[in-house]
């Protein structure tokens, strides 16, 4: 796609040869107010070079660029040169890109580079709750964004299937377990045992000791412990997969923490050999006080490994196995300090690729009654949230179209209901904390997923109404952009032009909400265009131009929603 900013910079460079193209690119601004043009060039920095007042320089360059077909007009205002682009030209550039749906917003910058992304990674035998939605949905979107930029992305689910909590779970099962209950509703049943364990352990601290021993056995090949643990794992994964299926999320690897347990002795030995391991109250740690970080815990006093030890092995494994260009962890901001420690230890181990490890944090979800707490049984199940959203969508659709066919209602309700929850999750900058409110998740008005999906369906409906032949014509002929210069059309066209750079920006910042915001803007701009102007007019040239713009907006919304993992229905 033609890079408009660069084109402008080239033209200015031809007039102000003392500045490099890069310098000019940096100085160029996009004014807040459209009245000041599409781009502005402040001339302060040229004053020294030309020994002239900035306004005079601005005036001078403006005059020289006046007749360039790229611009409708160029004005000098104080020290600024304000440039108004030729709208038809911008329309041509933007539409050409947007109508090529397969390549629009995509690139090959990542060709030959592998990115590992660790996301979702729930803990086995624990509920898959509303707190997990963030890593799951944000991680999936970051995967889609990098995939669109041509990277080879490996999605890995670092299941929390190891650690002392399994000692507790197995103990609880042995004391109070009932196999039938577990098979019927595994997660909720196991959760109730886990909750009970904590209540009982407060009265009888012996239980904790028993749990510790049980985990020790699990880690050292105890047959019965391994059998029970494996059973819990399989049941849990089955439940998690139900939710992943609902959201259309897949993984390339489910390499949980337990997979690395064999590698523990090697890692511990390596840390010893490299002189990094220190004893502290019977435990082994890596001292990080030189870096203002708390010590990293490697083994407990009884020799059992810890979360961090397993993550060290995991990182090494990923480097060996995938030779990653980046190794991304989408994990809550509570673990920010932990990841600093982890990456520092890798660096001290002499791995220069430690710098390619990235923690992508996100804020907390709280409930109106207070924080989520698995131990206290205060959880909102993700599956329930998704099901409720689908149910509510069904009701809305039935209300609006009493005669609609139930099968198609079910299908659309799934796309819209689940899409609404996922979109909502990706609307705000990821680092913000928020309080989960049913009302808000189930609110489909305003800047929501259903609104954007509805706009997509509206575009589809306009194209259907125009008829196949007319659409074919609109897409095969050069766009008659002189019909697309009204305010509403031009606003939309500018947004369509920006879309690919928005995707790039979202990738650079690991921030899907940048895409979300932009497609909301596009949907709003299209709806304004739809209300302000007649699309299916008599004049065929005008009609095809407007249909091309409609198809372009539809592509932008569909491609944008796809990056969020949200479906774009043709009808709603
Ligand atoms: N299971 C962990 C949790 O729920 C998240 C794991 C994140 N990934 C990692 N490699 N540490 O907190």
């Amino acid at each position: 796609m033609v890079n408009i900013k660069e084109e402008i910079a080239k033209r200015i460079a031809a007039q102000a040869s003392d500045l490099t193209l890069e310098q000019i690119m940096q100085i160029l601004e996009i004014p807040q107010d459209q009245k000041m043009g599409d781009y502005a060039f402040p001339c302060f920095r040229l004053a020294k070079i030309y020994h002239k007042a900035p306004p005079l320089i601005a005036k001078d360059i403006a005059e020289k660029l006046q007749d360039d077909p790229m611009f409708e007009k160029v004005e000098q205002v104080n020290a600024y040169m304000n440039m108004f682009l030729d709208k038809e030209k911008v329309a041509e550039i933007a539409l050409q890109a947007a109508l090529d749906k397969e390549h629009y917003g995509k690139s090959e910058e990542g060709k030959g580079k592998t990115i590992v992304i660790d996301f979702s990674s729930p803990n086995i035998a624990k509920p898959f709750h509303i707190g997990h939605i963030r890593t799951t949905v944000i991680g999936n979107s970051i995967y889609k964004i990098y995939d669109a930029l041509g990277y080879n992305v490996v999605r890995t689910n670092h299941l929390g299937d190891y650690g002392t909590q399994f000692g507790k779970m197995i103990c609880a099962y042995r004391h109070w377990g009932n196999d039938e209950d577990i098979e019927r509703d595994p997660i909720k049943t196991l959760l109730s045992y886990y909750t009970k364990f904590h209540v009982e352990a407060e009265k009888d601290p012996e239980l904790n000791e028993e749990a510790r021993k049980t985990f020790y056995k699990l880690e050292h090949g105890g047959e019965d412990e391994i059998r029970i643990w494996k059973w819990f794992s399989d049941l849990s994964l089955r439940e998690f997969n139900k939710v992943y299926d609902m959201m259309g999320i897949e993984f390339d690897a489910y390499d949980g923490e337990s997979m690395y347990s064999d590698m523990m002795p090697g890692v511990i030995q390596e840390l010893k050999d490299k002189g990094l391991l220190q004893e502290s109250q019977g435990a082994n740690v890596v001292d990080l006080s030189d870096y203002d970080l708390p010590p990293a815990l490697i083994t407990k006093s009884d020799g059992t490994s810890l979360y961090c030890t397993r993550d060290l092995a995991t990182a090494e494994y990923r480097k060996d196995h995938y030779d990653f260009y980046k190794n991304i962890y989408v994990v809550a901001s509570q673990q920010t300090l932990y990841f600093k420690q982890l990456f520092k230890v890798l660096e001290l181990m002499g791995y220069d690729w430690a710098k390619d490890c990235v923690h992508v944090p996100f804020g907390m979800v709280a409930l109106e009654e207070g924080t989520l707490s698995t131990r206290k049984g205060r959880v909102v199940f993700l599956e329930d949230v998704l099901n409720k959203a689908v149910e509510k969508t069904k009701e809305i659709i039935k209300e609006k179209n009493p005669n609609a066919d139930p099968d198609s209602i079910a299908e659309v309700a799934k796309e819209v209901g689940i899409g609404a929850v996922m979109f909502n999750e990706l609307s705000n900058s990821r680092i913000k904390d928020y309080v989960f409110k049913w009302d808000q998740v189930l609110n489909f008005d305003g800047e929501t997923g259903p609104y954007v999906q509805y706009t997509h369906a509206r575009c589809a409906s306009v194209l259907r109404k125009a008829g196949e032949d007319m659409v074919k014509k609109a897409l095969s002929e050069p766009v008659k952009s002189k019909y697309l210069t009204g305010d509403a059309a031009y606003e939309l066209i500018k947004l369509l032009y920006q879309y690919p750079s928005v995707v790039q920006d979202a990738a650079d910042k690991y921030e899907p909400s940048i895409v979300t915001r932009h497609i909301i803007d596009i949907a709003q701009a299209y709806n304004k265009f739809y209300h302000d102007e007649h699309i299916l007019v008599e004049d065929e040239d005008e009609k095809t131009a407007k249909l091309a713009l409609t198809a372009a907006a539809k592509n932008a919304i569909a491609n944008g929603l796809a990056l969020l993992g949200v479906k774009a229905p043709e009808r709603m």
Side-chain angles (χ1 to χ4, degrees):
M1 179 162 73
V2 177
N3 184 332
I4 294 180
K5 192 174 174 189
E6 202 175 296
E7 289 301 316
I8 296 175
K10 276 187 205 155
R11 285 162 170 79
I12 297 176
Q15 305 303 330
S17 53
D18 296 281
L19 291 180
T20 66
L21 205 61
E22 284 78 57
Q23 283 172 321
I24 296 172
M25 292 280 275
Q26 266 169 16
I27 300 174
L28 272 171
E29 293 173 0
I30 295 184
Q32 290 290 335
D33 186 351
Q34 173 70 34
K35 288 197 198 80
M36 316 291 274
D38 298 298
Y39 282 90
F41 186 70
C43 294
F44 303 105
R45 279 178 55 187
L46 293 173
K48 259 202 215 129
I49 303 173
Y50 293 109
H51 305 291
K52 259 209 269 190
L56 288 179
I57 303 171
K59 185 158 184 270
D60 224 31
I61 308 180
E63 267 164 19
K64 293 201 177 109
L65 294 184
Q66 205 56 254
D67 298 327
D68 193 304
M70 177 102 184
F71 304 110
E72 196 175 278
K73 63 177 180 198
V74 184
E75 283 177 352
Q76 171 250 326
V77 177
N78 300 325
Y80 286 81
M81 175 175 72
N82 294 339
M83 291 156 279
F84 296 79
L85 293 167
D86 181 77
K87 295 191 176 100
E88 293 181 29
K89 204 144 215 111
V90 181
E92 274 159 35
I93 295 170
L95 262 59
Q96 196 185 19
L99 291 175
D100 180 8
K101 185 178 178 199
E102 208 184 308
H103 298 105
Y104 183 45
K106 303 190 180 160
S107 82
E108 305 225 318
E109 75 157 42
K111 213 170 166 191
K113 293 186 182 130
T114 296
I115 289 186
V116 177
I117 178 161
D118 173 332
F119 69 103
S120 198
S121 308
N123 296 330
I124 294 289
K126 293 264 192 77
F128 200 36
H129 60 69
I130 189 69
H132 294 115
I133 193 177
R134 310 214 72 192
T135 165
T136 307
V137 173
I138 294 169
N140 183 55
S141 178
I142 295 177
Y143 148 69
K144 301 244 178 199
I145 291 170
Y146 275 97
D147 182 63
L149 298 182
Y151 290 87
N152 169 37
V153 191
V154 181
R155 294 160 291 182
T156 181
N157 196 327
H158 190 74
L159 292 167
D161 57 1
Y162 224 60
T164 37
Q165 72 268 28
F166 291 97
K168 293 178 186 169
M169 202 81 75
I170 294 169
C171 273
Y173 165 71
R174 283 176 174 159
H175 284 285
W176 312 293
N178 173 310
D179 289 13
E180 266 167 43
D181 290 346
I182 296 178
E183 286 289 347
R184 189 165 26 79
D185 194 350
I187 309 265
K188 283 184 188 159
T189 308
L190 291 174
L191 174 66
S192 72
Y193 298 164
Y194 191 63
T195 311
K196 186 169 166 90
F197 180 91
H198 285 278
V199 174
E200 297 295 324
E202 269 185 27
K203 292 182 242 159
D204 175 12
E206 262 304 298
L207 275 173
N208 282 320
E209 186 52 24
E210 187 186 323
R212 205 189 51 71
K213 282 190 187 137
T214 309
F215 178 60
Y216 185 88
K217 282 194 197 146
L218 176 64
E219 205 172 24
H220 293 82
E223 255 172 51
D224 198 47
E225 285 75 15
I226 291 179
R227 178 188 64 79
I228 299 173
W229 165 82
K230 183 101 191 52
W231 179 44
F232 290 173
S233 290
D234 292 346
L235 288 173
S236 304
L237 205 54
R238 208 165 72 198
E239 294 296 301
F240 298 159
N241 277 326
K242 252 200 249 168
V243 178
Y244 293 140
D245 280 350
M246 287 172 94
M247 296 197 283
I249 291 177
E250 290 173 25
F251 292 89
D252 302 297
Y254 286 90
D255 295 338
E257 290 184 41
S258 66
M259 192 187 103
Y260 305 96
S261 65
D262 290 353
M263 299 170 216
M264 287 310 94
V267 171
I268 294 165
Q269 190 58 46
E270 186 186 346
L271 289 167
K272 265 188 206 150
D273 294 345
K274 291 182 174 165
L276 294 169
L277 216 54
Q278 281 182 15
E279 237 198 80
S280 162
Q281 296 158 5
N284 281 306
V285 304
V286 178
D287 176 53
L288 299 173
S289 56
D290 284 353
Y291 313 95
D292 273 335
L293 292 169
L297 292 174
I298 304 299
T299 61
K300 288 205 210 171
S301 47
D302 63 5
T304 50
S305 70
L306 287 149
Y307 183 55
C308 179
T309 331
R310 295 188 285 274
D311 256 330
L312 289 170
T314 306
E316 288 189 41
Y317 171 86
R318 287 181 190 162
K319 187 65 195 177
D320 290 347
H321 217 73
Y322 302 113
D323 192 22
F324 56 71
Y325 163 74
K326 267 184 199 163
N327 177 27
I328 300 174
Y329 301 82
V330 184
V331 184
S333 57
Q334 282 112 310
Q335 294 190 33
T336 297
L337 182 65
Y338 166 74
F339 279 105
K340 280 193 185 141
Q341 294 172 291
L342 177 69
F343 300 161
K344 184 52 86 180
V345 176
L346 289 168
E347 186 192 315
L348 294 174
M349 288 168 95
Y351 295 125
D352 63 344
W353 47 261
K355 65 175 184 345
D356 305 324
C357 296
V358 188
H359 174 217
V360 175
F362 53 84
M364 276 217 317
V365 188
L367 299 181
E368 282 171 292
E369 313 82 83
T371 48
L372 287 161
S373 167
T374 310
R375 284 190 196 180
K376 302 210 171 99
R378 204 159 53 214
V379 287
V380 172
F381 289 86
L382 194 44
E383 196 180 339
D384 295 344
V385 175
L386 297 175
N387 281 330
K388 266 201 194 175
V390 174
E391 278 318 307
K392 164 155 179 188
T393 313
K394 263 189 207 156
E395 276 162 32
I396 297 178
I397 302 178
K398 271 191 217 149
E399 222 171 83
K400 288 192 175 156
N401 324 279
N403 303 321
D405 150 54
D407 281 348
S408 71
I409 292 187
E411 189 53 33
V412 174
K414 233 169 75 189
E415 293 185 358
V416 176
I418 292 173
V421 176
M422 294 171 75
F423 191 97
N424 179 54
E425 202 47 60
L426 296 168
S427 296
N428 294 317
S429 109
R430 61 179 155 73
I431 204 69
K432 271 202 201 153
D433 292 342
Y434 78 92
V435 176
F436 175 85
K437 293 193 181 109
W438 280 107
D439 288 356
Q440 194 207 329
V441 180
L442 299 180
N443 172 20
F444 296 167
D445 301 326
E447 301 179 348
T448 61
Y451 169 76
V452 174
Q453 288 176 317
Y454 179 74
T455 310
H456 179 267
R458 166 173 274 174
C459 294
S461 145
V462 169
L463 298 176
R464 275 197 303 273
K465 264 195 209 130
E468 230 172 275
D469 292 345
M470 207 32 88
V471 173
K472 228 185 229 155
K473 191 161 186 265
L475 298 183
S476 56
E477 288 174 4
V479 179
K480 312 217 170 39
S481 50
K482 72 171 181 194
Y483 297 105
L484 304 177
T485 55
D487 286 350
Y490 190 52
E491 260 322 297
L492 174 58
I493 285 165
K494 280 202 293 186
L495 293 167
L496 295 177
Y497 171 75
Q498 289 158 6
Y499 173 75
S501 62
V502 162
V503 176
Q504 182 69 54
D505 192 33
D508 294 343
K509 300 188 171 121
Y510 309 103
E511 185 64 84
S513 67
I514 296 176
V515 174
T516 317
R517 305 300 320 167
H518 198 74
I519 55 174
I520 291 173
D521 289 346
I522 289 177
Q524 284 172 339
Y526 182 78
N527 286 322
K528 183 156 187 343
F529 169 69
Y530 179 90
H531 287 296
D532 285 6
E533 299 203 24
H534 246 316
I535 298 178
L536 301 177
V537 289
E538 275 303 314
D539 184 284
E540 209 162 271
D541 284 348
E542 182 177 343
K543 180 155 68 178
T544 46
K546 290 177 169 177
L547 288 174
L549 182 57
T550 299
K554 179 173 184 277
N555 288 348
I557 294 175
N559 284 9
L561 285 175
L563 295 182
L564 307 179
V566 174
K567 293 261 168 42
E570 293 288 316
R571 290 169 202 267
M572 258 170 90

